[in-house]
């Protein structure tokens, strides 16, 4: 019982700390890539406390609910967007013996729960009684339906290669030559995950210049902050899943396994930030074309390739 409590305490700490680190890193990396200083004074050295200052600012803001909103759905939507990412972490191994709950169907579990997180944006858009929010919610629903298929197909490929749906089992079965073998699936999985998180260049549901902030238009204070936290928590979860499914998780020379996992996670989080700075937002038709005309066929090719190689070996 004590082991379970300690495991969940560690997961909670990771869930609260890593998204904040990724958020702070994004602010500073974007500033350097785009040659703009950004906030440099909060806390002294390089503005290290700016994220904390933002949190205090959100806590002090008035909590406003539109008069025409569905109050109950409006209030719980940020929690629906955030909590699934905390739940997913219980099944993701940090090291060979560092996993809170060892599930035989762990991959099925995490993909199903991640899909629930997107429903928070749909609920927020519908409940806000705002045309821009409804439009953002509809775009979020369209992205979920489009990109869930390539995400699941790519994950199915690596599960087929390992012969198990257990995430620790997949990592244990991983070999270095899986990197070229599962490369197509890894790229498809990562891009589809970014689209489900509504991260640039897949941020059409938010699109500040078009529909204000989409589902989050009417949110203020801590509820808005929870949506922002869910975005960074989603980046952490996506990076963890890509690491353990396609990059070997804790496998690596010299360093401890848990450290290898974290190094790979932060490298992928950096790639997420890099993509945001580099590419402009796609149009809605371009988004759908990418999913159905490119990612789904590539995922099917990866599945076929995996099946052929499994037969041969």
């Amino acid at each position: 019982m004590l082991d379970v409590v300690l495991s969940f305490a560690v997961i909670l700490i990771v869930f609260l700390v890593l998204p904040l680190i990724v958020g702070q890193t994004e602010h500073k990396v974007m500033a350097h890539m785009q040659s703009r200083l950004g906030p440099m004074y909060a806390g002294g050295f390089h503005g290290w406390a700016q994220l904390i200052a933002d949190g205090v600012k959100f806590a002090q803001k008035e909590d406003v609910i539109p008069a025409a909103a569905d109050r109950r759905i409006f209030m719980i939507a940020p929690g629906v967007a955030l909590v699934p990412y905390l739940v997913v972490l219980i099944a993701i191994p940090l090291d060979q013996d560092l996993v809170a709950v060892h599930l035989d169907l762990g991959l099925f579990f995490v993909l199903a729960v991640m899909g629930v997180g997107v429903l928070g944006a749909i609920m927020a858009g519908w409940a806000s009684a705002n045309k821009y929010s409804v439009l953002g919610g509809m775009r979020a629903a369209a992205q979920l339906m489009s990109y869930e298929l390539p995400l699941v197909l790519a994950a199915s490929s690596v599960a087929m290669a390992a012969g198990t749906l257990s995430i620790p089992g997949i990592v244990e079965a991983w070999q270095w030559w899986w990197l070229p073998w599962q490369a197509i699936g890894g790229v498809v999985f990562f891009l589809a995950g970014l689209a489900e998180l509504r991260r640039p260049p897949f941020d059409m549901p938010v699109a500040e210049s078009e529909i204000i902030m989409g589902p989050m238009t009417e949110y203020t204070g801590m509820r808005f902050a929870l949506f922002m936290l869910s975005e960074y928590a989603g980046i952490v979860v996506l990076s963890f899943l890509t690491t353990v499914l396609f990059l070997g998780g804790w496998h690596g020379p010299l360093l401890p396994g848990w450290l290898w996992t974290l190094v790979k996670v932060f490298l992928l989080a950096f790639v997420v930030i890099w993509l945001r700075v580099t590419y402009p937002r796609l149009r809605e038709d371009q988004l759908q074309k990418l999913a159905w005309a490119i990612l789904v066929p590539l995922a099917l090719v990866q599945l076929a390739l995996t099946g052929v190689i499994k037969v041969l070996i």
Side-chain angles (χ1 to χ4, degrees), residues 58-130:
F58 281 125
Q60 292 176 335
K61 283 190 173 182
E62 183 181 2
D63 183 17
V64 178
I65 300 178
D70 186 326
R71 295 181 64 88
R72 184 176 301 175
I73 303 300
F74 185 90
M75 292 170 65
I76 67 174
V80 174
L82 179 62
V83 171
Y85 296 119
L86 172 60
V87 176
V88 163
L89 285 177
I90 69 173
I92 300 178
L94 190 61
D95 203 342
Q96 192 165 8
D97 299 316
L98 287 178
V99 57
V101 179
H102 194 302
L103 299 173
D104 292 336
L105 298 176
L107 182 58
F108 177 82
F109 171 80
V110 298
L111 293 178
V113 174
M114 279 184 68
V116 175
V118 183
L119 296 179
I122 301 173
M123 292 168 60
W126 179 258
S128 293
N130 180 301

Side-chain angles (χ1 to χ4, degrees), residues 200-213:
F202 306 106
D203 59 334
M204 283 71 69
V206 178
E208 297 96 329
S209 59
E210 300 173 23
I211 52 175
I212 326 290
M213 283 292 286

Side-chain angles (χ1 to χ4, degrees), residues 122-293:
I122 301 173
M123 292 168 60
W126 179 258
S128 293
N130 180 301
K131 61 182 179 182
Y132 298 112
S133 298
V134 173
L135 183 57
M138 291 172 62
R139 289 186 177 186
Q143 282 190 212
L144 171 63
M145 289 187 290
S146 299
Y147 283 87
E148 190 72 13
L149 181 58
L151 185 81
V152 172
L153 289 175
S156 301
S157 171
V158 74
M160 183 190 300
T164 178
L165 286 172
S166 166
I167 296 180
I170 291 173
V171 183
E172 289 174 0
W174 187 87
Q175 302 292 330
W176 68 266
W177 48 271
W178 283 28
L179 286 173
W181 178 21
Q182 296 294 329
I184 296 175
V187 172
V188 170
F189 183 88
F190 191 68
L191 291 178
L194 282 181
E196 288 206 0
L197 294 176
R198 304 174 301 282
R199 286 284 303 182
F202 306 106
D203 59 334
M204 283 71 69
V206 178
E208 297 96 329
S209 59
E210 300 173 23
I211 52 175
I212 326 290
M213 283 292 286
M216 296 178 284
T217 298
E218 299 291 353
Y219 281 86
T220 60
M222 288 306 296
R223 288 197 178 93
F224 183 85
L226 288 178
F227 273 117
M228 300 303 295
L229 180 60
S230 69
E231 177 180 335
Y232 292 116
I235 294 173
V236 171
V237 168
L238 175 63
S239 300
F240 263 113
L241 283 176
T242 307
T243 294
V244 297
L245 295 180
F246 297 96
L247 299 180
W250 61 75
H251 290 285
L254 303 177
L255 300 176
W258 62 268
L259 187 55
W260 268 116
T261 301
L262 291 178
V263 167
K264 295 172 185 178
V265 166
F266 278 109
L267 285 175
L268 287 173
F270 175 79
V271 172
V272 173
I273 298 168
W274 194 355
L275 289 174
R276 174 176 181 175
V277 175
T278 304
Y279 292 100
R281 182 183 303 124
L282 298 175
R283 295 196 313 264
E284 194 66 30
D285 62 311
Q286 293 172 330
L287 172 85
Q288 299 297 332
K289 184 177 181 180
L290 176 64
W292 295 105

